[in-house]
Amino acid sequence: MSPAMRIGLPFAVVAIVLVAWEIAVRASHTQGLVPLPSGVVHSALALTEDGTLFSALGSSLERVVIGFAIAAAIGIPIGLAIGTVPVLDRTLRPVLDGLRGVAPIAWIPMAILWLGVRGDAALFVVAYAAVFPFILNTSEAARRIPRSLFHAAESLGAGRLLLIRSVVLPGALPFVFTGARIAMAFAWGSIIAAELAIGIKVQTARRAVAGIGQLMVDTLYVRRDVDALVLYMIVIGIVSFLIDSGLRRAQARLMPWTQR
Amino acid sequence: MRRSAGLRHFLLSWLEPLSGVVALAVGWQIASMVAANPTLVPPLQTIWGALVDLAHGDLVNDIVASLFHLAGGFGTGAILGLLLALLCARFELVAAVIDPIAEFLRPISAIAWIPIAILLFGVGQGVPMFLIFYASLFPIFVNALDGIRRVDPTLVRAAEMLGASRRLVVTHIVLPAALPAVFAGARLSLGVGWVAMVAGELVGADTGLGYRIEYFQEFFSMEGVMATIVVIGIIGYLLDALLRLLQSSLLRWSPAHGGSR
């Protein structure tokens, strides 16, 4: 396949699919039930103009960042502890695996009860989803550090704290960063889920802080606008793409010696 | 001497994991005493009571419904992902068409599809099934394609030289060689699918474990919610353990059963 075709073909395919879609929907008179490509563009223009989309996106992203930070603050120490102390690993592993098996969204009723609907409940779900990648990757990273490094540092008289600070942490960092990337993806996925579930719960009450998930519920049940729903989905996809590629780039730049 | 060491080892292998679980339970019980509010933090005996009630009532139906959603969605997603991967590996043109579409859809999480799924299928079995299908499609497709492309070409050429038909090459060389990667993808997608299933049932279905949480919440029965959470955790753990077991027993021959995301 020629290079021109390699680049041109994907665009051509997408264009053909979109045009065929548009024609099919218009021909079958199902606008409003089935999303229309031109309608998606239209609602993109309308919603960016009045700022709804950006303010919703902003409040969702804010919760993701806070939840992610909480997860890191809890997950990395736990990961380091069970990665360096085998007894802790054996006692805590089944509990952690069991908790990991619970889908974060299942905690929604409890989280609403504990923290309220205003946004902290979503925060809990985000932190819950993001904490396990941190724990798993940090503990795996700590375990993979060559024993000889430990022995060398110990024989030179390093104490436990120094050992953690100057051997464990730098050695584990690349792995932890990979964990952070996964955690971020989980966090972004679960903020949407949490906001959807909360949005459906308190549909009637007007909410002060509405994220993109609540906006979707509103669009689904109140405004019944299919095109806007598809737009939100695309925005969600673009955001997760940007987050992931940004973190990948940061990883390549900050830790050039790592492969992944 | 040796015998008692073995016994000690055996006891420890049970006691250590158990002590973690006990610590969690004790912690929860203390929290419930401090909170002194059975709704906010239901004490263990209330959760146990709810669990027993659930087991006498709808538990089996819920679990069966959830597993049915999971099997339907995961099965179709895995089969389609595998087929697409085979086609993409075989025909360059198919890959050129599928790749951009897959790359476009992949960052859109299954969760983001919930509103559209509710609109398309209505509240019912369709929503969780579709979400699981969508969640399992990409990890399996990406990993299978990766695995198939990494199959040692000398093996394929050797088989062809010995007169193997195209079909025989696929079933006896390509698929087995790609199996470790496919399994890695399957474990990933089962994890994602499990989460998508609970979310889908919670907001867009009238059966399954996720729906049961929603149901208990309607009646403000927090011990019921907690009992369901316990069940979800146990089944989620067992599913992953089962797949891990399958992976290590089926792929014992493989030096590294790894894969990439």
Side-chain angles (χ1 to χ4, degrees):
Chain A
M1 212 184 292
S2 69
M5 220 175 138
R6 191 173 286 280
I7 298 168
L9 198 61
F11 283 104
V13 168
V14 171
I16 291 170
V17 168
L18 287 181
V19 170
W21 189 310
E22 180 93 21
I23 293 170
V25 174
R26 281 182 190 277
S28 59
H29 296 288
T30 44
Q31 291 104 312
L33 261 178
V34 181
L36 199 64
S38 65
V40 175
V41 175
H42 191 77
S43 61
L45 293 176
L47 285 164
T48 43
E49 207 164 310
D50 72 356
T52 338
L53 186 59
F54 291 120
S55 70
L57 205 58
S59 77
S60 289
L61 278 175
E62 193 189 318
R63 286 177 215 161
V64 165
V65 170
I66 300 172
F68 178 82
I70 296 173
I74 298 173
I76 293 177
I78 293 181
L80 281 180
I82 64 176
T84 46
V85 187
V87 185
L88 273 182
D89 182 41
R90 290 196 296 269
T91 47
L92 288 180
R93 174 101 2 192
V95 175
L96 289 172
D97 280 349
L99 288 174
R100 196 161 58 96
V102 181
I105 192 74
W107 287 100
I108 270 282
M110 302 313 289
I112 289 177
L113 205 63
W114 292 332
L115 299 161
V117 259
R118 288 226 154 215
D120 296 344
L123 214 56
F124 178 86
V125 175
V126 170
Y128 191 90
V131 80
F132 294 105
F134 272 118
I135 295 177
L136 286 181
N137 277 53
T138 312
S139 65
E140 192 59 36
R143 211 167 299 131
R144 283 194 185 197
I145 294 169
R147 294 286 109 184
S148 53
L149 287 182
F150 274 105
H151 296 319
E154 267 168 354
S155 71
L156 290 170
R160 186 138 208 123
L161 255 175
L162 188 68
L163 207 63
I164 285 181
R165 214 184 60 209
S166 48
V167 177
V168 179
L169 272 183
L173 217 52
F175 246 103
V176 175
F177 206 96
T178 306
R181 246 178 51 214
I182 301 173
M184 198 64 195
F186 281 13
W188 180 239
S190 56
I191 186 76
I192 306 292
E195 287 175 351
L196 278 173
I198 295 172
I200 286 178
K201 276 282 91 54
V202 284
Q203 217 189 109
T204 43
R206 295 296 332 149
R207 295 154 314 265
V209 205
I212 196 159
Q214 277 113 329
L215 205 57
M216 283 176 111
V217 175
D218 202 55
T219 315
L220 171 64
Y221 285 114
V222 183
R223 303 216 307 270
R224 293 217 151 260
D225 184 352
V226 214
D227 297 332
L229 278 183
V230 173
L231 172 73
Y232 297 147
M233 283 169 53
I234 294 174
V235 169
I236 290 170
I238 290 174
V239 170
S240 59
F241 176 79
L242 287 180
I243 289 175
D244 196 58
S245 57
L247 285 178
R248 269 174 205 275
R249 199 163 288 181
Q251 186 171 22
R253 178 159 242 186
L254 294 173
M255 299 155 212
W257 65 91
T258 51
Q259 287 299 309
R260 294 235 256 171
Chain B
M1 223 20 219
R2 169 160 296 168
R3 194 156 171 196
S4 76
L7 186 71
R8 194 168 151 251
H9 185 78
F10 174 78
L11 276 179
L12 266 182
S13 75
W14 277 97
L15 272 180
E16 280 172 342
L18 201 65
S19 63
V21 178
V22 169
L24 182 74
V26 169
W28 180 270
Q29 197 69 348
I30 290 172
S32 96
M33 277 188 229
V34 171
N37 181 341
T39 312
L40 216 53
V41 188
L44 288 177
Q45 62 271 22
T46 332
I47 298 177
W48 177 251
L51 205 56
V52 171
D53 283 349
L54 199 60
H56 285 303
D58 295 311
L59 185 64
V60 175
N61 289 338
D62 289 338
I63 293 176
V64 168
S66 279
L67 291 181
F68 180 68
H69 297 156
L70 198 67
F74 184 73
T76 45
I79 290 171
L80 187 65
L82 210 55
L83 273 180
L84 284 179
L86 278 174
L87 284 176
C88 280
R90 175 78 182 80
F91 305 105
E92 215 179 335
L93 197 70
V94 177
V97 173
I98 300 284
D99 261 350
I101 297 175
E103 284 308 309
F104 176 73
L105 288 177
R106 207 149 65 104
I108 302 177
S109 59
I111 304 288
W113 282 86
I114 288 178
I116 286 274
I118 292 177
L119 210 62
L120 283 179
F121 303 108
V123 170
Q125 307 223 328
V127 177
M129 273 202 187
F130 172 76
L131 295 183
I132 299 161
F133 161 79
Y134 183 86
S136 34
L137 184 59
F138 294 109
I140 291 191
F141 168 70
V142 171
N143 278 284
L145 188 57
D146 195 44
I148 292 170
R149 282 191 175 145
R150 279 193 210 182
V151 173
D152 188 356
T154 48
L155 287 179
V156 176
R157 266 184 252 133
E160 277 171 349
M161 192 199 68
L162 291 167
S165 66
R166 171 127 256 136
R167 210 168 117 201
L168 199 70
V169 170
V170 169
T171 54
H172 280 71
I173 293 172
V174 177
L175 282 183
L179 203 61
V182 173
F183 247 105
R187 261 188 76 194
L188 255 174
S189 58
L190 202 68
V192 184
W194 181 249
V195 173
M197 181 198 80
V198 175
E201 288 174 350
L202 198 87
V203 290
D206 45 14
T207 47
L209 291 164
Y211 165 73
R212 190 55 56 193
I213 286 186
E214 168 71 15
Y215 170 89
F216 279 128
Q217 196 189 11
E218 298 275 281
F219 293 100
F220 220 68
S221 155
M222 289 306 147
E223 63 273 15
V225 171
M226 281 310 300
T228 318
I229 286 178
V230 170
V231 173
I232 290 178
I234 291 173
I235 295 182
Y237 174 74
L238 287 180
L239 276 178
D240 193 55
L242 191 74
L243 219 58
R244 218 166 8 188
L245 203 71
L246 215 63
Q247 195 175 22
S248 61
S249 69
L250 276 181
L251 304 176
R252 203 172 298 155
W253 49 270
S254 160
H257 25 229
S260 63
R261 216 168 118 90

